[in-house]
Amino acid sequence: MHVINQPAAMRTDRSLLVVTHLTQLLSYVIGFGSLIVPLIIWLSTRNTVEDMNEHGKAVVNLQLSIILYIIISIPAILLLGLGILTLIATAILGFVMPIVNAVRANNGESPSYFMTIPFIS
């Protein structure tokens, strides 16, 4: 007898987790895609890859936080140049944290994003 609605087995794929984190760096290379590509990977594999749901939520939360920080810091440029410092800090945060968490994902650890607002929990 054949079971039709059997749930798919979760597979461990650390390399896909690493790729999901590193695709956030696309905005530094081609100018866009740092939110769209990880979102597509997360939504398409969150039910089949072990720990993808946790890592995907962390990636999307970081990218949404970075977008919010950039939107806030553009008008803040008029306030004694404070927005320029915020933009520089956001650029550093957006470059370093995906690399750190890609290494953490490769080691089987949970992601840890500094200064990330939990939009998706």
Side-chain angles (χ1 to χ4, degrees), residues 40-118:
I40 291 171
I41 294 172
W42 170 53
L43 290 176
S44 63
T45 60
R46 67 180 170 187
N47 296 327
T48 58
V49 176
E50 188 177 323
D51 294 332
M52 178 56 84
N53 199 29
E54 177 186 9
H55 287 270
K57 287 179 185 178
V59 167
V60 171
N61 283 334
L62 175 71
Q63 289 304 311
L64 291 175
S65 297
I66 286 175
I67 291 170
L68 181 66
Y69 295 150
I70 290 171
I71 290 171
I72 290 172
S73 51
I74 289 174
I77 291 174
L78 299 174
L79 300 172
L80 301 172
L82 184 63
I84 294 174
L85 296 175
T86 309
L87 283 174
I88 292 170
T90 303
I92 293 170
L93 177 76
F95 187 78
V96 172
M97 292 310 293
I99 296 170
V100 168
N101 282 301
V103 172
R104 290 178 63 101
N106 193 31
N107 293 335
E109 301 173 12
S110 296
S112 172
Y113 281 110
F114 176 71
M115 303 254 328
T116 301
I117 302 168

